[in-house]
Amino acid sequence: PQTADVLRQAVGAAQSGDVARARKLAEGALEEGGDTAALNAFLGMLLARAGDLASAAGHLRAAHDARPADTTIACNLIAVLIDAKDLAPALEIATLDLARADATLRIARYRGFVAQSLERFDDAVTAYEHVVAREPQDFESWNNLGNARSATGDLEGSVAALEKAMAINPDAPPTRLNLAVAFRTVERGDEAEALLRRTADEFPDDARALHELYVQYKKEGRQDDAMPAIEAAIARDPDNANLQLKFGVECGLLSR
């Protein structure tokens, strides 16, 4: 009860902008033997919002150690570790067992993202499969699952996941590009080209589909098609250094 009363005062102070008083109240209650998990969890979030990620992580880790099954505390700790680019410890917190116990699926999504960032693609696949099994309309997780499966060598599984993502949300150009690349990896080049052309037409301000068309034409040795594709991409995004570099190379090949 005493901890609850202090936290009410601390939250009120924080909401009024007096962060220093909020921190002093919580730290004082902690020194007097208050609820370790609740007070450290509050201090962790208070310091995270103030930008002190290292101190925030320390308090949230103490709260997590006190209540390892509390998924809200775990989520907050993982988020702070990700913001601090401390990914390996974040994955240690986002265990598969904790992800499966979290009905909100936040921990599973975090686990997938962190595992993928650390190139632990098998772990990422397992996490994303858990998410889409329970949230089948989550197109972002289907997209991420497709990319993770591709990295494990499951190319057909990658295509299937990306097709599902695009079916749910056909208006996301990055998913279309990922699917086109996946089509190429399973030797469905005609479908990749058709998808990229359609994407370029339907998103006239986006140069990425035209760039991918250029890449595909170069891979296929279709130089006469490659040059117009990179020129069209340049017209849409003239300040893109990567596109300008490739255009310069192509001009050199044609003695322009």
Side-chain angles (χ1 to χ4, degrees):
Q2 185 178 0
T3 295
D5 183 56
V6 169
L7 282 175
R8 277 193 294 273
Q9 295 178 54
V11 169
Q15 289 174 337
S16 67
D18 193 347
V19 174
R21 181 168 181 270
R23 182 174 182 177
K24 184 177 180 180
L25 284 167
E27 287 176 341
L30 200 57
E31 290 175 2
E32 293 175 8
D35 187 318
T36 300
L39 291 165
N40 275 303
F42 171 77
L43 283 165
M45 293 312 298
L46 188 71
L47 292 168
R49 288 171 183 153
D52 186 353
L53 298 180
S55 297
H59 282 291
L60 287 167
R61 190 176 291 279
H64 176 68
D65 289 343
R67 289 188 198 162
D70 188 314
T71 55
T72 298
I73 291 173
C75 279
N76 292 337
L77 174 55
I78 294 163
V80 166
L81 291 171
I82 290 173
D83 286 344
K85 296 181 172 49
D86 209 356
L87 298 184
L91 189 61
E92 291 175 3
I93 301 298
T95 64
L96 186 57
D97 287 343
L98 198 58
R100 287 172 172 163
D102 176 24
T104 71
L105 301 177
R106 286 179 63 201
I107 291 178
R109 291 187 178 98
Y110 277 141
R111 180 174 174 80
F113 167 77
V114 174
Q116 199 164 0
S117 299
L118 293 171
E119 298 185 357
R120 291 179 53 171
F121 299 112
D122 288 329
D123 290 328
V125 167
T126 302
Y128 288 131
E129 286 179 342
H130 175 78
V131 174
V132 298
R134 286 152 185 80
E135 192 69 49
Q137 296 303 304
D138 182 352
F139 88 93
E140 290 182 345
S141 290
W142 279 112
N143 176 76
N144 294 337
L145 175 58
N147 293 335
R149 282 177 173 172
S150 177
T152 67
D154 181 8
L155 303 182
E156 293 294 347
S158 171
V159 169
L162 290 166
E163 286 181 320
K164 181 70 173 178
M166 184 173 165
I168 295 168
N169 184 4
D171 296 326
T175 299
R176 291 178 174 223
L177 299 182
N178 290 337
L179 178 55
V181 172
F183 278 150
R184 285 207 300 262
T185 63
V186 294
E187 300 182 358
R188 292 165 64 178
D190 290 346
E191 291 173 81
E193 181 180 359
L195 177 56
L196 290 170
R197 285 191 173 280
R198 191 166 76 249
T199 301
D201 290 341
E202 294 176 4
F203 297 89
D205 296 327
D206 196 327
R208 290 173 294 179
L210 290 166
H211 174 249
E212 280 300 329
L213 273 172
Y214 162 78
V215 171
Q216 178 163 341
Y217 293 147
K218 292 293 287 184
K219 288 178 180 292
E220 295 174 353
R222 296 165 60 182
Q223 185 61 38
D224 290 343
D225 293 320
M227 189 59 167
I230 195 68
E231 284 181 310
I234 285 285
R236 293 185 181 186
D237 190 4
D239 295 328
N240 186 310
N242 180 51
L243 296 179
Q244 292 285 7
L245 174 62
K246 291 178 179 178
F247 180 53
V249 171
E250 295 304 322
C251 288
L253 293 174
L254 297 175
S255 300
R256 283 173 51 184

